[in-house]
Amino acid sequence: MKKLLLFSILGLVGCTAQIADPNGGSTPGAGAGGGLGSGMFGGPTSPGAPGQTGAGATAQAGPMPLRRLSRDEYDATVADLLGDTTHPGRDFPEDERDEADGQRLSPFRRPGAVGSLLASRLLDAASALAGAADVAKLLPCQPTSADEAKCADSFVTQFGLKAFRRPVLPEEKSRLLALYQQVRTAESADFTGGIRAIIEAMLLSGPFLYHWELGPQPATLEGGLVQLGPYEIASRLSYFLTGTMPDTELLGAAAQGKLATEADVTAQATRLFASPRAKASLRNFFQQWLGLDEMPERSKDAATYPQFTDALKDSMIAELNELTGRVMLDGDGRLESLLTDGKAFVDPALAELYGLDAAGSMKSPEAMMLAPRERSGLLTRAGFQALYGGPKGSNPIKRGAEIYRRLLCGTVPKPPANVPPAKEPSEGGTTRMRFAEHGSNACAKGCHGLFDAFGFAFENYDGIGRYRTLDNDLPVDASGSVLLDGAQVSFEDGVELSRKLADSQQVRGCLSAQVASYGLGRTLTDADRASVDAATAAYQPTGGGIRALLAAFAASTTFRYRLPAEGEVLK
């Protein structure tokens, strides 16, 4: 059965002429992604200018590399498609973060190439999912022995529309129905067995596993750019905002040509925000952007921080998820609020770390206000500081580099091999003194001058985020200045720097760029800049929150168009 199915699947994938090596150059719209350089942008620009928005304004679009469903997307999709909640994607190899020359280009995880291990897991998952599927619920008909073939045909059409996120092409249907007949003949399978073979084949096919929902119509060239088809728009929008396949209404809008304009896309985006899936997807964005998904991997020196247990890590993760959810999903959705909010939802262990008086009497998690001179917003929370603190201390260099990279979209240069390590605490001085001396080395100045001060601002927090005024028996100095919005900005500590970052146009622009990279599933190019800038305008302090930003980017040119690939033939 598996051998028969595998050969049939290979034929099915080949007939679409849409699936290529994800890392190769034959994918339509694929191009070299830019790294997180100046403002995150770099790489090719598009030649076209559809939808000009002002005198001399040029709207552009970047490449559209072929991209496989991520582990989370796979699980969410089979849950919506089949009602299966076993999370088979958890058995797949980890999705990878963009890296080049040992440097991380993006905080977001991307599916890598399909190796032998993943291929085996995909086969196993498809077999298990098809075997467990409730075929009776999935069928659009109740076949009798006389019309089983007709019912199978209807199933391929209706189920295939959902599985492929676009109508099934005639040649695809022919191959699937041929497989159905082969299985019934060669395997002596009944009607249900034949349908399960179709399901398994679809789950292993390129149209299901990859984001490339061209549909039956040819690609349209407009002003030098390729306009995405309605099903491509529906799928890109759905996975961007809800992390799963398009729902019935969105597929209906694609069929009726109601995703052709900015207004159409904005209306659907607004509707999708009400979906429970939208909250989960946006939470996933914040976890990856801020690196919160890496907390379980963090460890500390047990002698220095014996209280840093798995339970405390879970408490820290829960608090950070609660904060981002309450502010960005249920609240005003403004980055300014996220970086200055003083309310915490803490359990007894975290309350004790925060030094709250009620820690001893608490029985369960409670909402409390933190000391405003010590804590203000996400960056001052123990979880964030523990995440980027060192195993035995605060490590201001790592903290500064992560803030610089994640909130300002700065590029952290690869450190030279000849930089000596910082002195140990036993050699005297505060952490800041030792790391400042380390950063003053001639071989380190080039990069440390970019971000060290961002880390020094949070020296009031030790390696697990506990507040302190003394470090190595010396007063903590958390003051300094950073280059922000083109000017040097001074601060007394992390609380004040958080407020300055909250007011920064540069930080808001970086958030927009991070949203764009997340939504496009790639690093950004110069061609994306106009669309990102337009989305940023929707996210001003007096304007909309995260939903306005997401909707604005979904309606942008670079989201709805793509750059033609080299050698691509278009009408």
Side-chain angles (χ1 to χ4, degrees):
M1 166 82 172
K2 277 198 172 183
K3 181 180 289 187
L4 173 64
L5 184 58
L6 181 58
F7 281 113
S8 300
I9 292 162
L10 291 174
L12 175 63
V13 172
C15 78
T16 67
Q18 296 170 13
I19 304 303
D21 179 0
N23 299 315
S26 60
T27 304
L36 294 183
S38 177
M40 282 183 79
F41 299 97
T45 58
S46 64
Q52 289 190 339
T53 56
T58 300
Q60 299 176 315
M64 184 178 173
L66 186 64
R67 186 165 59 91
R68 184 169 49 82
L69 296 179
S70 70
R71 299 198 318 168
D72 288 341
E73 288 172 340
Y74 186 98
D75 284 345
T77 301
V78 298
D80 288 342
L81 182 66
L82 299 167
D84 188 280
T85 57
T86 59
H87 302 286
R90 292 177 181 174
D91 291 331
F92 300 167
E94 284 275 3
D95 296 327
E96 305 162 358
R97 300 190 194 273
D98 294 338
E99 292 188 357
D101 193 27
Q103 294 294 90
R104 182 171 292 179
L105 301 178
S106 167
F108 305 113
R109 297 184 184 274
R110 321 283 196 201
V114 178
S116 57
L117 175 60
L118 177 57
S120 175
R121 296 289 170 82
L122 288 171
L123 280 166
D124 291 343
S127 177
L129 288 166
D134 190 337
V135 172
K137 286 187 177 180
L138 297 175
L139 287 173
C141 44
Q142 296 297 325
T144 63
S145 58
D147 62 359
E148 286 181 347
K150 182 178 179 181
C151 186
D153 187 290
S154 297
F155 175 78
V156 170
T157 298
Q158 297 190 31
F159 182 80
L161 173 64
K162 297 176 182 179
F164 289 0
R165 285 91 67 182
R166 58 156 175 82
V168 177
L169 302 179
E171 58 267 35
E172 292 170 336
K173 176 182 279 191
S174 295
R175 288 177 180 271
L176 287 164
L177 291 176
L179 172 65
Y180 164 82
Q181 291 295 343
Q182 283 179 287
V183 170
R184 295 208 64 181
T185 301
E187 303 287 337
S188 299
D190 60 9
F191 173 78
T192 298
I195 295 298
R196 291 192 192 282
I198 292 175
I199 294 172
E200 188 172 351
M202 285 188 171
L203 295 179
L204 284 168
S205 69
F208 173 78
L209 292 173
Y210 288 86
H211 292 282
W212 197 264
E213 299 81 6
L214 264 177
Q217 73 289 330
T220 301
L221 190 64
E222 180 182 328
L225 296 177
V226 179
Q227 183 179 22
L228 299 189
Y231 291 99
E232 289 176 299
I233 292 290
S235 187
R236 175 173 270 197
L237 183 65
S238 184
Y239 280 102
F240 174 41
L241 298 181
T242 67
T244 190
M245 56 181 274
D247 61 12
T248 301
E249 184 169 341
L250 196 51
L251 288 173
Q256 297 165 29
K258 294 183 178 179
L259 291 173
T261 67
E262 292 184 20
D264 289 339
V265 174
T266 300
Q268 287 294 332
T270 301
R271 180 184 68 83
L272 290 175
F273 287 143
S275 165
R277 291 277 196 202
K279 281 192 174 184
S281 180
L282 194 53
R283 183 174 289 109
N284 183 49
F285 164 76
F286 280 106
Q287 286 178 338
Q288 291 191 55
W289 172 42
L290 298 168
L292 308 184
D293 59 333
E294 298 180 16
M295 178 66 86
E297 306 166 13
R298 288 293 183 268
S299 61
K300 305 289 180 180
D301 178 68
T304 307
Y305 300 117
Q307 63 273 68
F308 193 72
T309 61
D310 287 343
L312 184 60
K313 284 196 287 186
D314 289 343
S315 298
M316 290 176 169
I317 293 171
E319 187 207 3
L320 293 175
N321 282 336
E322 189 278 332
L323 175 62
T324 54
R326 173 169 48 82
V327 173
M328 304 305 289
L329 307 181
D330 300 323
D332 59 19
R334 295 169 61 237
L335 181 64
E336 296 77 16
S337 299
L338 183 66
L339 294 178
T340 59
D341 186 273
K343 182 186 291 186
F345 197 78
V346 296
D347 63 10
L350 204 51
E352 182 178 358
L353 187 145
Y354 281 144
L356 298 174
D357 294 337
S361 60
M362 290 178 63
K363 302 299 182 183
S364 59
E366 296 180 20
M368 296 186 176
M369 293 302 297
L370 301 177
R373 295 181 63 85
E374 298 179 4
R375 312 275 178 178
S376 177
L378 175 87
L379 301 182
T380 65
R381 297 302 171 91
F384 189 88
Q385 294 301 321
L387 182 63
Y388 298 118
K392 295 183 178 182
S394 57
N395 199 335
I397 306 309
K398 181 170 178 59
R399 285 175 176 169
E402 294 296 341
I403 291 171
Y404 179 70
R405 178 162 44 199
R406 295 174 190 273
L407 272 72
L408 284 87
C409 292
T411 297
V412 177
K414 186 176 181 178
N418 59 341
V419 178
K423 291 181 178 179
E424 294 293 325
S426 59
E427 297 181 68
T430 64
T431 305
R432 175 170 185 163
M433 292 173 182
R434 299 193 306 276
F435 276 91
E437 180 181 347
H438 166 265
S440 67
N441 283 289
C443 54
K445 281 184 177 179
C447 62
H448 283 270
L450 297 171
F451 52 78
D452 278 10
F454 289 99
F456 292 146
F458 297 93
E459 272 301 281
N460 281 119
Y461 310 100
D462 68 9
I464 59 172
R466 183 171 43 199
Y467 190 82
R468 65 184 181 182
T469 57
L470 295 176
D471 176 21
N472 215 7
D473 295 325
L474 294 171
V476 168
D477 178 11
S479 64
S481 66
V482 295
L483 185 64
L484 196 59
D485 297 323
Q488 206 66 28
V489 175
S490 299
F491 55 84
E492 288 299 317
D493 56 21
V495 169
E496 186 174 9
L497 178 59
S498 292
R499 289 197 295 267
K500 299 292 178 66
L501 292 170
D503 292 333
S504 169
Q505 178 67 13
Q506 187 177 350
V507 175
R508 285 190 289 274
C510 178
L511 174 61
S512 298
Q514 300 283 21
V515 163
S517 179
Y518 178 77
L520 296 173
R522 59 171 171 80
T523 49
L524 302 182
T525 74
D526 284 334
D528 303 309
R529 189 185 298 273
S531 292
V532 173
D533 288 346
T536 305
Y539 197 65
Q540 297 303 314
T542 56
I546 189 71
R547 290 178 176 81
L549 170 60
L550 294 170
F553 183 70
S556 72
T557 299
T558 202
F559 193 86
R560 299 185 299 114
Y561 292 78
R562 66 172 172 86
L563 181 71
E566 183 178 352
E568 184 177 5
V569 178
L570 297 165
K571 294 182 179 180

